[in-house]
Amino acid sequence: MLHFLAKIFFLILLIFIYCEFIIYYFVLLGCSWSQLSKIDQDFTIPLSTDPNKKPLHVMLIADTHLMSSHETHWFNKLRRDWQMHRSLQSAIFLFEPQIIFVLGDLTNAGQSYSDYEWNKTIHRFQDLFSVPSNIRLYVLAGNHDIGFHSEVTDKNLKRFGESFQTSYARLLTIDDEINFVLINSMAFEGDQCRLCESADNELKEILNQLHDSTTRTKPVLLSHFPLYRLSEANCSKPSSTSLKSTIQYPTYREHYDVLSQEATKHLLTTIKPRLVFTAHTHRYCYIEHSYNDEKIIQEWTVPSFSWTNQDDPSFMLLSITTNNQRVSHCYLPRETTIFWSYAIGGFLVIFYLLFGGRRPVYLVMVDTSNHLNAIIMFVAEKRGLHNALCSSRIARPLSVKVDDWRLLMAPIRSVAVEVIDKGQLVCKQHREIVSIRTVKGPAQLQIASN
């Protein structure tokens, strides 16, 4: 019995480990860092001074939407937290990125949190998205963290900046060769407000630094809001919403769904980025921009990293050098896939309980002591007054599998003790009546002569 229960426990544990750990590795193994192609190389930019230098590996995630305790049920929050934590740790183990960017909306409603709730959620974020010391993690502000442009308060802005050491615009230079410009999307509306003026001043300082820099490579622009586009209809690949026609794509609103046309033009013509990575829509999109007949500027919108927003979360991997780059789009396990994995695992456990292994058949058949009592007396009376019988003759017909009858010997013996105490049967060994409680070795049952 204990051996059988141990097997069931091990099977359930195996299902749990697969659904909560192994499946993340299986799914992520379908993704990899894209190999750089010489065809895509920008020959106007000189190669790195070190010919053996490997590409910089960057991981981009977005819209984690951590929920506070009062926004959802504790189990739902636990599931989504675990999904993102396990996804990140599995991706770090498999891909070993050097830098991770989180493109905003860390929280689900951080703009309205109290300081206590904010600090509690940020500590949770730091625990869930902890990275090894050799990996650098940078965070952008999203509208769910500090509010939309008209809702941003000095308190929220200061709170987010102190938590993640962010500013309106920031220049990040890696290995003195590759530049990233990180902007606070809510501060680039161009309406001459105090927020926008501060952002423009910081951006001008960054542009001066880039102009004085010895490197000729253009920067990568990172923003929470996408650059202006009318809808998802012009994305080069279908979004995960499986919308079938242009009519079904909602029209995006400037300042809320995407940056305004003016802000988009200002950023593209001043920064002149080589690539742009954005977020906010929760869906994948690749689109190309061009202003003043300049070179095509590629924009990737990074999908949500959380089951909170969609069934198939994902992220992106960027391999980049001074004059070349490639992007990979990597999917995480679907929530429905894990649900069905548990369902199939549960079916296998039930199947094994009913038909597999050595199990106590009397438990499955619900043979109560009264039922066994009647069976024992029926078989004994059939043998007759002068013929004894072994307990195995009772157990064998009751078993479903050939070897299961041995598991029935103990319960049959226990019921036989009760029947003998009532004087209905006697226990014999070598044709002599003996006590069933003390007898050792094989013994037989027989109808009592009185």
Side-chain angles (χ1 to χ4, degrees):
M1 182 66 176
L2 289 177
H3 181 64
F4 173 72
L5 291 177
K7 284 185 176 181
I8 295 298
F9 174 78
F10 179 75
L11 184 58
I12 294 173
L13 182 63
L14 211 61
I15 294 168
F16 176 80
I17 291 174
Y18 172 78
C19 292
E20 301 300 337
F21 291 90
I22 299 175
I23 192 171
Y24 291 92
Y25 294 98
F26 279 168
V27 173
L28 287 173
L29 283 172
C31 194
S32 63
W33 297 104
S34 296
Q35 295 295 318
L36 299 182
S37 171
K38 290 185 177 180
I39 298 176
D40 300 325
Q41 186 171 312
D42 185 353
F43 292 98
T44 63
I45 305 297
L47 295 172
S48 172
T49 54
D50 183 1
N52 298 319
K53 192 174 184 61
K54 295 182 178 180
L56 178 69
H57 285 164
V58 180
M59 179 178 177
L60 300 110
I61 65 179
D63 296 281
T64 55
H65 285 260
L66 292 183
M67 295 185 181
S68 65
S69 56
H70 64 269
E71 290 178 289
T72 186
H73 190 271
W74 68 268
F75 184 74
N76 183 57
K77 185 178 75 168
L78 176 67
R79 286 295 300 150
R80 273 113 186 86
D81 283 3
W82 174 254
Q83 172 258 328
M84 290 187 286
H85 173 74
R86 195 64 260 151
S87 298
L88 180 70
Q89 299 308 317
S90 301
I92 288 175
F93 177 82
L94 292 174
F95 304 124
E96 298 180 340
Q98 295 159 272
I99 298 177
I100 299 175
F101 289 112
V102 185
L103 304 184
D105 278 359
L106 282 63
T107 62
N108 192 58
Q111 77 277 16
S112 60
Y113 289 171
S114 65
D115 288 341
Y116 171 78
E117 196 69 50
W118 172 265
N119 291 330
K120 185 178 177 181
T121 304
I122 295 308
H123 286 318
R124 209 168 93 237
F125 173 85
Q126 293 168 344
D127 290 337
L128 295 174
F129 291 85
S130 60
V131 297
S133 57
N134 62 323
I135 298 176
R136 287 171 283 182
L137 185 143
Y138 300 95
V139 172
L140 274 67
N143 58 287
H144 281 269
D145 302 316
I146 63 174
F148 284 104
H149 174 70
S150 59
E151 303 168 349
V152 177
T153 63
D154 290 339
K155 176 186 175 182
N156 287 348
L157 201 60
K158 180 181 178 182
R159 188 168 65 176
F160 190 91
E162 290 177 347
S163 298
F164 298 105
Q165 291 74 54
T166 60
S167 56
Y168 301 109
R170 177 181 183 182
L171 175 63
L172 182 66
T173 302
I174 308 299
D175 298 333
D176 297 324
E177 292 182 331
I178 301 174
N179 295 311
F180 295 89
V181 176
L182 289 64
I183 65 169
N184 182 332
S185 305
M186 284 61 69
F188 284 87
E189 293 297 340
D191 59 0
Q192 306 303 316
C193 71
R194 180 167 53 86
L195 184 68
C196 294
E197 286 185 359
S198 299
D200 283 335
N201 291 334
E202 290 189 9
L203 183 59
K204 288 176 182 177
E205 292 181 12
I206 290 174
L207 295 175
N208 290 333
Q209 293 178 47
L210 290 173
H211 182 267
D212 296 337
S213 174
T214 56
T215 178
R216 292 175 56 191
T217 182
K218 294 180 179 180
V220 177
L221 175 61
L222 303 178
S223 165
H224 176 67
F225 278 175
L227 301 180
Y228 176 78
R229 58 176 179 261
L230 188 61
S231 70
E232 298 285 310
N234 293 325
C235 296
S236 63
K237 290 185 179 180
S239 68
S240 58
T241 53
S242 301
L243 300 175
K244 300 299 182 183
S245 68
T246 306
I247 299 175
Q248 292 176 287
Y249 289 104
T251 300
Y252 283 151
R253 300 167 298 168
E254 296 182 54
H255 312 297
Y256 288 95
D257 301 315
V258 293
L259 288 173
S260 65
Q261 296 185 58
E262 294 77 10
T264 298
K265 183 177 180 179
H266 174 64
L267 290 170
L268 292 180
T269 54
T270 55
I271 299 177
K272 298 180 180 178
R274 58 193 288 194
L275 300 169
V276 181
F277 287 95
T278 58
H280 185 58
T281 65
H282 303 165
R283 294 184 293 272
Y284 169 86
C285 179
Y286 170 77
I287 196 168
E288 296 178 345
H289 302 272
S290 178
Y291 278 99
N292 300 329
D293 296 326
E294 292 280 346
K295 185 179 178 180
I296 295 295
I297 300 172
Q298 302 170 330
E299 178 190 357
W300 278 271
T301 299
V302 181
S304 174
F305 196 69
S306 173
W307 283 341
T308 301
N309 300 311
Q310 56 190 62
D311 181 53
D312 57 341
S314 56
F315 62 95
M316 291 188 179
L317 299 176
L318 168 66
S319 299
I320 185 168
T321 63
T322 54
N323 65 346
N324 207 347
Q325 65 273 328
R326 274 293 182 93
V327 178
S328 300
H329 183 199
C330 303
Y331 283 94
L332 300 171
R334 288 177 175 266
E335 186 172 21
T336 49
T337 300
I338 293 183
F339 170 81
W340 283 111
S341 297
Y342 269 119
I344 293 171
F347 172 79
L348 292 176
V349 170
I350 294 172
F351 184 86
Y352 184 76
L353 279 169
L354 295 176
F355 305 107
R358 293 188 178 187
R359 69 213 185 285
V361 181
Y362 64 92
L363 289 178
V364 178
M365 297 176 63
V366 198
D367 285 332
T368 63
S369 59
N370 288 335
H371 190 186
L372 282 175
N373 189 326
I375 293 174
I376 291 171
M377 290 306 299
F378 174 79
V379 177
E381 289 171 357
K382 191 175 181 181
R383 288 283 295 173
L385 184 63
H386 303 292
N387 296 317
L389 75 150
C390 181
S391 299
S392 63
R393 294 180 66 89
I394 302 170
R396 289 180 188 276
L398 294 177
S399 63
V400 178
K401 294 180 67 176
V402 175
D403 294 335
D404 280 346
W405 66 270
R406 291 186 176 87
L407 298 173
L408 288 168
M409 294 299 286
I412 289 175
R413 185 184 181 95
S414 176
V415 174
V417 171
E418 298 176 6
V419 178
I420 291 172
D421 289 343
K422 293 177 181 179
Q424 294 176 295
L425 294 178
V426 294
C427 179
K428 285 188 174 183
Q429 189 178 59
H430 306 304
R431 298 186 179 182
E432 297 292 332
I433 297 177
V434 295
S435 172
I436 193 172
R437 290 183 173 85
T438 59
V439 67
K440 296 182 179 180
Q444 295 178 314
L445 302 175
Q446 185 175 333
I447 295 289
S449 59
N450 57 351

